[in-house]
Amino acid sequence: MDEEFRRFLKRGGRSENAAGRIIAYVKEFERYLKEHCSVELNEADTGDLEAFAEWVEQKPKVSAKGHLWGIGYYYEYTSNEELRHTAGILREQRIERQPFPLREFRGINSEYVEKLAAAGIKNIKQMLEAGKSETERASLAEETGVAGDVILELVKLSDLARIPGVKGIRARLYHDAGVDTMEKMAEWEPEELREMAARFVERTGFEGIAPLPAEVRFTIAQARSLPKIVEY
């Protein structure tokens, strides 16, 4: 695996040093799988990857971000889209990011974004704080001149975007397909949601791909565990 994988990484623009670190992370995952799960790299599943990340982080002040970064490249190399995506989601959970900006949501008129920005509302954290109740949304609509239905739409998109991996395109897909609140998301079973989203994409010509099985399992689990912060 080493040399072929190394060449793949270099073709993708990774430096020799970065390629070495990635291979070391993958080998550590490989050893973990053999010792703890009795499986090979090509036999691992999403549960194995999640357990490995937790195992790495048993040591004080240690994060699995680097490991997941490297393992993601390996599963890209082997065309295992499910595990590549899972590695990315697990890594994203461990990275502190700036709140997602409202302007990045697909299908939102820039005029509305500018009016909200003038009122100090530029990202999902600020949108949820300002629009978490019906009364506050009505007040915000009056203050900014942005219609109440647009305010509600942005609150719903922002609420969905609390889920790692659900941002500009995914939040829009779920919203437009009718799964526009955390509560609705939590009611779905993974395979049913995946099939519904795939039908929606095909029927409407939505510019984006339907979610993968591992993605919808993670998304629903997050919707069921994240605290409710918006009153509809």
Side-chain angles (χ1 to χ4, degrees):
M1 178 262 290
D2 286 11
E3 289 310 311
E4 289 184 9
F5 185 34
R6 191 183 298 273
R7 285 195 291 271
F8 166 83
L9 293 169
K10 294 183 75 172
R11 286 196 301 271
R14 307 284 76 76
S15 68
E16 188 64 32
N17 181 57
R21 287 189 291 125
I22 289 168
I23 290 171
Y25 287 138
V26 174
K27 286 187 173 180
E28 186 174 352
F29 182 42
E30 185 176 33
R31 288 193 297 271
Y32 168 86
L33 290 171
K34 288 180 179 178
E35 294 173 9
H36 297 268
C37 309
S38 300
V39 299
E40 301 292 332
L41 271 173
N42 61 358
E43 300 170 332
D45 60 23
T46 56
D48 295 326
L49 185 53
E50 291 169 1
F52 172 70
E54 293 175 2
W55 177 79
V56 168
E57 292 172 344
Q58 287 178 350
K59 298 177 183 178
K61 299 182 179 180
V62 173
S63 171
K65 286 185 295 186
H67 296 76
L68 294 163
W69 166 71
I71 292 166
Y73 277 116
Y74 176 76
Y75 285 117
E76 180 183 349
Y77 165 67
T78 60
S79 300
N80 187 326
E81 183 60 24
E82 184 172 29
L83 282 178
R84 185 203 65 78
H85 180 79
T86 300
I89 290 294
L90 292 173
R91 184 169 184 263
E92 183 176 332
Q93 287 180 281
R94 290 160 170 81
I95 297 175
E96 291 187 11
R97 298 185 182 276
Q98 293 298 315
F100 188 76
L102 299 181
R103 67 176 182 274
E104 297 297 325
F105 282 125
R106 178 180 287 183
I108 295 297
N109 190 312
S110 61
E111 180 183 349
Y112 302 145
V113 174
E114 290 169 5
K115 286 183 176 180
L116 288 166
I121 302 168
K122 301 178 180 180
N123 59 52
I124 64 171
K125 183 177 180 180
Q126 294 164 339
M127 187 76 250
L128 290 170
E129 181 60 31
K132 61 181 179 290
S133 72
E134 185 175 356
T135 300
E136 287 168 309
R137 291 192 291 274
S139 176
L140 183 60
E142 184 175 352
E143 175 189 350
T144 61
V146 177
D149 60 338
V150 176
I151 296 289
L152 179 58
E153 177 182 357
L154 280 164
V155 168
K156 288 183 173 182
L157 290 168
S158 297
D159 199 17
L160 290 171
R162 289 195 293 142
I163 300 174
V166 176
K167 294 297 180 280
I169 296 175
R170 275 290 180 261
R172 174 56 68 188
L173 169 60
Y174 289 130
H175 178 280
D176 289 3
V179 189
D180 58 356
T181 68
M182 285 286 205
E183 290 75 17
K184 290 180 182 178
M185 179 72 73
E187 292 173 356
W188 282 85
E189 293 302 321
E191 186 57 21
E192 293 174 355
L193 177 61
R194 190 194 67 78
E195 291 177 353
M196 183 279 289
R199 289 193 300 271
F200 178 82
V201 169
E202 183 177 0
R203 184 178 72 253
T204 64
F206 182 87
E207 293 184 11
I209 62 172
L212 296 164
E215 180 184 346
V216 289
R217 287 197 296 271
F218 176 82
T219 297
I220 291 171
Q222 288 291 301
R224 290 172 177 173
S225 63
L226 286 169
K228 180 180 178 180
I229 62 174
V230 179
E231 297 175 8
Y232 293 110

